[in-house]
């Protein structure tokens, strides 16, 4: 079937995309490669479609486009190729599109060199040898031949150019072989298996995708219903994945961990399982939040213990019989978190633990016994607190102890517990020994961010402490709030409060933390802990809000913002604090942010962000095949240039653009450009730009700097990514890339400011023009 007919059938609804297919992931380089192969008559492979009845196809198609009557072909293999060509020929994406349309927008062909490139104004504008491929496909060669005839200098090559125009337009008539899967025996289960087989070179469906595809065959709204529950919990501060919820539902319905158990589950049973799982998860989140104080995604941890706990709660009729049963379940949950019970082979361990629920008369006791058997004992030792950063499994334990042991705020003396903090208050991570003093003393990041150097305070107290020496502020708070310091398991030996004795301080605090943890967990197991004061539930069906949110460490706030930025580009979110685990479940390293399947899943190597890491972590990531970045700005450039294949203009383009808009450039604009060029590493804050140009504050600088970028982008007809807050182009990106960084003022107060790093092409253009 020729390509034009294929596109027409998409428009008529005769060809559609199955719901279980992932979205469009190609970048501009891949689109250029496809068009180059088609133009040169190179083979690009066949298509695979599933021909099925329209009434059945409507349950599997992606998007809401109208399907043709009778039968429909669902595209199994060839989505990226057909979507790319559809976008180029039609000038818009197909109705089933889900991805970044910039990948196929603005493709041009050079009649002289026979190459494809995306639009670059200074190179292509008013040049008849550069042909807009979309316009050619829509208008035909006649218009372009007429343009060539008007230019006498091109007469010598006219015949060649016309032949190449015809050859380019002729791509539409290339025939692609289509393999069809059809027949009554070709159920969605069979088809998805076929899809995975033929798609071995691309991204296979995960086991969860496969299970959900089967569920969607009977209940098309299943995916949306699951996403609605995830959105509810996300609003409450818990970020769960769809596959996780599916595991919980599977555990409720079948008591199994393997998704294959859902094979013969009908719609009514699945819907009932979803309802029961949702209620049980709500119950557990409320229990864990109120009883353990783990009320936010960053401290929850151990999420794959939930399928077991959800199954247990449902078997108990949705309610645990008494506080002893409840606390024993929470005791088991905390230890699964601490020892990475589900860090390795999740399905096999879940299978083992779910089997305990079916076979044991005292399942909680047996679950705890199994943990002891694997660990030897469940006693927490001081050495267990040697981890560092929020990626450590023992970070949530310190937070939990702070919440349940009535640790006191050092300045106000109030208990740092939920019913005193209030629904909209927050705790901040506090470095007991300030980072600046430790770095000055030569301590590495792993020791600066050691778990034993972290505690939690109210924002007001954290600001008051700032980066003062602990020996100074400890003594001050001991005078105003006697005993408050020690409630955070601070060793009270004064000599340990000195920088030179920092290692001894860490060792002593680890001992105190281990003792407190063992006392609390043993009391939890024995049922000796009194009931907490009554509080509002954390998860409500109609009114969901996060309670005590943790204000992350500065580096991790930047990582969260970076992760959100990646998602804005139509790419998958990464996993924060990803553990690199060996075959026995031991954590070898923690990556700050990781994409284990690459940013284009299945099409690129694993990617990681490692901010200010020790060399051994970088070496571990490298050994395991990760391409890692230690700088947010360089990572974003990688996303733009290699993943999205968005190229910024070259030096000559910028030079000509600056000259063209020079009459619109103000003195303030020039002062900002000059200040940026001369800034250290050509990196400056918006405040620095404002000071250079005499603007009252950074708002004016941001506005005017964006104006320069807008003028350049408009002159070059350059398409920029849109901002998240106002859906307008991020004009300043024409001049610089940006990232957040913590800045200390003269009083050593830390504040976050946006850093602009001048693009090298812009810097060179300014230099060549003698503007700086």
């Amino acid at each position: 079937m020729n390509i034009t007919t294929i596109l027409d059938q998409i428009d008529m609804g005769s060809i559609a995309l199955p719901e279980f297919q992932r979205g469009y992931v190609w970048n501009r380089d891949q689109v250029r490669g496809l068009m180059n192969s088609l133009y040169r008559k190179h083979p690009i492979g066949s298509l695979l479609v599933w021909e099925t009845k329209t009434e059945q196809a409507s349950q599997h198609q992606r998007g809401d486009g109208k399907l043709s009557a009778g039968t429909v072909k669902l595209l199994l293999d060839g989505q990226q190729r057909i979507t790319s060509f559809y976008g180029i020929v039609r000038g818009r994406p197909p109705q089933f599109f889900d991805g970044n349309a910039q990948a196929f927008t603005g493709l041009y062909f050079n009649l002289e060199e026979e190459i494809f490139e995306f639009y670059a104004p200074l190179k292509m504008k008013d040049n008849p040898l550069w042909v807009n491929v979309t316009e050619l496909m829509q208008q035909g060669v006649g218009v372009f031949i007429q343009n060539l005839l008007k230019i006498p200098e091109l007469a010598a090559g006219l015949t060649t150019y016309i032949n190449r125009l015809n050859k380019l337009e002729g791509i539409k008539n290339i025939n692609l072989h289509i393999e069809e899967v059809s027949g009554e025996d070709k159920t969605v289960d069979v088809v998805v298996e076929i899809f995975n087989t033929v798609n071995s070179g691309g991204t296979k469906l995960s086991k969860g995708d496969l299970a959900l595809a089967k569920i969607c065959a009977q209940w098309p709204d299943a995916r949306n219903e699951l996403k609605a529950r995830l959105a509810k919990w996300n609003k409450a501060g818990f970020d769960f994945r769809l596959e996780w919820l599916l595991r919980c539902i599977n555990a409720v319905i079948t008591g199994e961990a393997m998704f294959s158990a859902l094979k013969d589950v009908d719609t009514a049973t699945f819907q009932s399982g979803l309802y029961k799982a949702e209620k049980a998860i709500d119950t557990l989140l409320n229990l864990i939040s109120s009883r353990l104080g783990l009320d936010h995604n960053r401290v929850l941890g151990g999420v794959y213990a939930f399928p077991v706990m959800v199954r247990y709660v449902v078997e108990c009729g949705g309610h645990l019989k008494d506080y002893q049963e409840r606390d024993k379940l929470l005791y088991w949950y905390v230890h699964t978190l601490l020892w990475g019970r589900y860090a390795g082979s999740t399905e096999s361990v879940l299978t083992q633990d779910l089997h305990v629920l079916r076979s044991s008369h005292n399942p909680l006791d047996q679950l705890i016994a199994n943990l002891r058997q694997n660990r030897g004992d469940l006693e927490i030792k001081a050495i267990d607190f040697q981890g560092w950063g929020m990626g450590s499994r023992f970070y949530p334990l310190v937070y939990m102890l702070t919440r349940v042991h009535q640790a006191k705020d050092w300045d106000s003396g109030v208990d740092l517990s939920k019913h005193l903090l209030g629904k909209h208050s927050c705790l901040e991570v506090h470095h007991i020994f300030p980072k600046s003093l430790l770095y000055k003393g030569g301590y590495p990041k792993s020791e600066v961010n050691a778990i034993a150097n972290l505690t939690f305070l109210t924002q007001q107290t954290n600001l008051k402490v700032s980066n003062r020496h602990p020996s100074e502020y400890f003594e001050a708070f001991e005078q105003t709030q006697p005993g408050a310091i020690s409630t955070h398991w601070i060793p009270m030996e004064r000599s340990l409060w000195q920088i030179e004795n920092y290692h001894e301080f860490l060792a002593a605090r680890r001992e105190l933390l281990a003792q407190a943890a063992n006392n609390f967990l043993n009391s939890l197991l024995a049922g000796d802990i009194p009931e907490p004061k009554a509080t509002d539930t954390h998860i409500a069906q109609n009114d969901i809000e996060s309670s005590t949110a943790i204000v992350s460490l500065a580096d991790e706030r930047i990582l969260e913002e970076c992760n959100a930025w990646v998602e804005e580009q139509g790419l998958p979110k990464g996993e924060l604090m990803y553990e690199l685990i060996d075959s026995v479940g031991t954590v070898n390293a923690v990556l700050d942010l990781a994409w284990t399947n690459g940013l284009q899943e299945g099409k690129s190597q694993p990617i990681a962000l490692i901010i200010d890491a020790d060399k051994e972590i970088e070496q571990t990531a490298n050994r395991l095949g990760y391409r890692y970045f230690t700088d947010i700005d360089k990572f974003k450039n990688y996303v733009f240039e290699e993943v999205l294949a968005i190229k910024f203009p070259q030096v000559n383009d910028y030079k000509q653009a600056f000259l063209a808009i020079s009459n619109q450039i103000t003195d303030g604009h020039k002062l900002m450009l000059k200040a940026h060029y001369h800034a250290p590493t050509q990196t400056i804050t918006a405040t620095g730009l404002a000071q250079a140009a005499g603007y009252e504050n950074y708002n004016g600088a941001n506005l005017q700097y964006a104006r320069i970028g807008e003028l350049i982008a408009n002159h070059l007809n350059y398409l920029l990514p849109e901002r998240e807050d106002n859906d307008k182009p991020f004009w300043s990106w024409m001049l610089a890339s940006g990232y957040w960084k913590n800045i200390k003022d003269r009083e050593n107060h830390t504040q976050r400011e946006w850093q602009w790093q001048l693009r090298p092409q812009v810097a060179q253009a300014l230099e060549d023009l003698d503007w700086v």
Side-chain angles (χ1 to χ4, degrees), residues 19 39 68 132 228 230 282 301 319 321 335 394 428 626 630 693-694 730:
E19 191 274 341
Y39 178 77
S68 63
N132 184 308
L230 296 175
D282 286 349
H319 301 282
K321 65 181 179 181
H335 279 292
F394 279 75
E428 288 193 345
Y626 279 82
T630 58
F730 208 152

Side-chain angles (χ1 to χ4, degrees), residues 43 63 105 156 167 175 181 204 276 294 518 690 708:
T105 302
K167 184 178 178 181
N175 286 311
V181 175
K204 290 189 176 184
K276 291 177 181 178
L294 303 180
N518 285 318
I708 305 172

Side-chain angles (χ1 to χ4, degrees), residues 136-153:
L136 174 72
M137 295 297 179
Q138 294 179 350
Q139 299 173 14
V141 299
V143 174
F144 294 89
I145 292 174
Q146 291 299 319
N147 292 336
L148 294 174
L149 289 171
K150 295 175 184 178
I151 306 173
E153 304 90 75

Side-chain angles (χ1 to χ4, degrees), residues 622-634:
N622 186 58
R623 187 176 69 252
L624 294 176
Y626 279 82
R627 179 171 181 175
Y628 66 88
F629 297 85
T630 58
D631 180 270
I632 297 280
D633 185 55
K634 290 179 180 178

Side-chain angles (χ1 to χ4, degrees), residues 655-690:
K655 286 168 62 177
Q656 294 183 40
F658 276 125
L659 289 173
I661 66 171
S662 60
N663 62 334
Q664 301 177 69
I665 296 290
T666 68
D667 290 340
H669 292 157
K670 289 183 178 180
L671 287 170
M672 286 193 292
L673 290 169
K674 187 173 183 177
H676 203 168
Y677 177 86
H678 290 287
T681 69
Q682 295 184 330
T683 302
I684 195 170
T685 66
T687 300
L689 291 173

Side-chain angles (χ1 to χ4, degrees), residues 5-18 50-58 61-75 86 90 92 94-96:
T5 304
I6 292 172
L7 302 189
D8 289 341
Q9 292 207 1
I10 290 174
D11 289 335
M12 292 187 297
S14 298
I15 295 179
L17 194 69
W50 171 28
E51 185 174 17
T52 185
K53 294 179 180 179
T54 298
E55 56 267 27
Q56 184 180 10
S58 64
Q61 75 163 132
R62 171 169 289 179
D64 55 3
K66 186 177 180 180
L67 299 180
S68 63
T71 62
V72 172
K73 296 179 175 67
L74 295 179
L75 191 60
Y86 187 102
R90 297 289 194 257
R92 55 181 170 80
Q95 57 84 19
F96 53 68

